Amino acid sequence: MKGCRIVEKFVIHGGKQLHGEVNISGAKNAALAIIPAAVLCEDTCRIENIPNISDVKTMISILEYIGARTRFIKRDVLEIDTKNIKAMVTVPDDMTQKLRASYYLLGAMLGRFGCASVAMPGGCFFGVRPIDQHVRGFELLGADITTKGAVISASAAHLIGASVYMDNVSVGATMNVMLAAVKASGLTVIENAAKEPHVVDLANFLNSMGADVRGAGTDVIKIRGVRSLHGCTYSIIPDQIEAGTYMVAAGAAGGSITIKNVIPKHLESISVKLIESGIEVMEYDDSITIISDGKRPNKCIVKTMPHPGFPTDMQPQMAVLLSVANGTSYISESVWDNRFMYVEQLRRMGAKIQVDGKTATIEGMEYLVGAPVKADDLRAGAAMVIAGLIAKGETVVDNVHYIERGYENIIEKLIAVGADIERVTVLTDEDRIVAGAV
Ligand code: EPZ
């Protein structure tokens, strides 16, 4: 039929409490830096605990495009052979546009070959997302950076260690400069570095390859260049944001779920906010149990900050919890210019949220009402799912491809703890559904 297309949606019937266990997958934002980091050696790396998400599939296809050979030797164990990677390959726009992390190919290829050519990255839209700190870091290491159309190229006869003071804390720039610096001659010191768990995970992976990276997880990272790197076997950390998303879902929906395969230390800022909102959080060595009677949470003030502050990637999910809190809550977003686009969708479900610049004022309602909504980006999509779990009636979430960029088996994991959620495939003519599951 003219103009028709097949789309997938999530259909959720709210009001069910959640009980049982959820197993957390490997961290998306660690995997998306570690997979390209394998380019730095001419060997084979075996990376365990790889999450089965579309962004990882895209990153693997980029590595294969430049000549790597990859294969899954187990469901979540990826083997990458980088011996035949070609130096003078431009990673094209249609690949890099699919995800933000494609810019790590710049640092990795520059670090291995002294040259790189990568089209501008894509990624969720939260307003302007410059990469000036990445470029400045590469230039301080001695690279010449040119842009031609959408393609950024970096080249350096040889990279020399330097002091790189980040104007603002940047996860991507910190990790990209690390990638370019591990084989530079001499010492590189990154100051005002990002301290996220995935920054530490990348540093640990690089050190497993024979690099000399110290101080990751603090404001100052010191990298002493080495002549060559070798393959290794490495297991990626659990996903802090996936775990946090299920913690908030359990707190909002009520019930008791144990979230397994986590590092509680990485979740502290989220646990603190849930406890403040009246939800019980019990920490164990590698799991966290959330117990909630399903009553309305207490109001809270949330400020997103770089790690170890409250993660910006948990901001939309927290807004859903607070949209049914007792009283008025406030969320201020300090990392991104425009990360409240999901509010429009929540308003369709009865939420009362006013956004003024970087602060959202949330007047807690007794309940939300199910409605057709859409995911504007990855974490906003996760927030719509949580909203559907707690709303009265049916919620249909569109644009679910965003959600599947970063949440492995989200439907299966939620059904296993009692959620009434299903993925449906519909034929639509843009404005309306013309047929059910096809
Ligand atoms: C990473 O994005 C994550 N993405 C984002 O997660 C996350 O929101 C963000 O870090 C902050 O934690 C990946 O790891 C793939 P930044 P990144 O550089 O590296 C400004 C998700 O949901 N900035 O730390 O792009 C920037 O505009 C995604 O998994 C510059 O000004 O974020 C922002 O205001 C969404 N110049 C701030 O720094 C630069 O050169 C933090 O950005 C770089 C960044």
Side-chain angles (χ1 to χ4, degrees), residues 28-29 32 100-101 103-104 124 126 128-134 168-173 175 196 198 312-313 335-336 339 378-379:
K28 167 179 89 82
N29 292 343
L32 294 178
R100 186 90 199 141
Y103 53 31
Y104 292 130
C124 299
F126 313 126
V128 179
R129 294 184 76 173
I131 61 167
D132 58 302
Q133 299 296 301
H134 302 239
N168 57 279
V169 174
S170 161
V171 168
M175 297 215 269
E196 272 66 9
H198 30 291
T312 175
D313 293 347
V335 176
W336 296 109
R339 194 172 195 164
L378 163 58
R379 306 304 175 184

Side-chain angles (χ1 to χ4, degrees), residues 214-252:
R214 299 162 198 254
T218 73
D219 299 302
V220 182
I221 299 176
K222 293 185 177 175
I223 303 152
R224 200 168 290 284
V226 295
R227 294 183 64 77
S228 69
L229 297 172
H230 52 72
C232 67
T233 296
Y234 189 80
S235 186
I236 286 175
I237 55 170
D239 194 309
Q240 167 203 36
I241 305 302
E242 185 196 15
T245 301
Y246 286 106
M247 289 167 71
V248 170

Side-chain angles (χ1 to χ4, degrees), residues 130-251:
I131 61 167
D132 58 302
Q133 299 296 301
H134 302 239
V135 168
R136 192 171 142 273
F138 296 149
E139 287 174 336
L140 287 169
L141 291 171
D144 291 322
I145 308 292
T146 54
T147 51
K148 192 173 175 197
V151 176
I152 310 168
S153 297
S155 65
H158 44 259
L159 293 163
I160 300 168
S163 273
V164 180
Y165 192 97
M166 296 290 178
D167 292 351
N168 57 279
V169 174
S170 161
V171 168
T174 299
M175 297 215 269
N176 231 345
V177 171
M178 282 165 68
L179 293 171
V182 286
K183 290 173 66 183
S185 50
L187 178 66
T188 295
V189 181
I190 303 174
E191 295 190 80
N192 199 21
K195 298 180 273 196
E196 272 66 9
H198 30 291
V199 174
V200 179
D201 214 23
L202 174 63
N204 292 338
F205 174 73
L206 292 169
N207 287 337
S208 301
M209 292 169 81
D212 182 352
V213 183
R214 299 162 198 254
T218 73
D219 299 302
V220 182
I221 299 176
K222 293 185 177 175
I223 303 152
R224 200 168 290 284
V226 295
R227 294 183 64 77
S228 69
L229 297 172
H230 52 72
C232 67
T233 296
Y234 189 80
S235 186
I236 286 175
I237 55 170
D239 194 309
Q240 167 203 36
I241 305 302
E242 185 196 15
T245 301
Y246 286 106
M247 289 167 71
V248 170

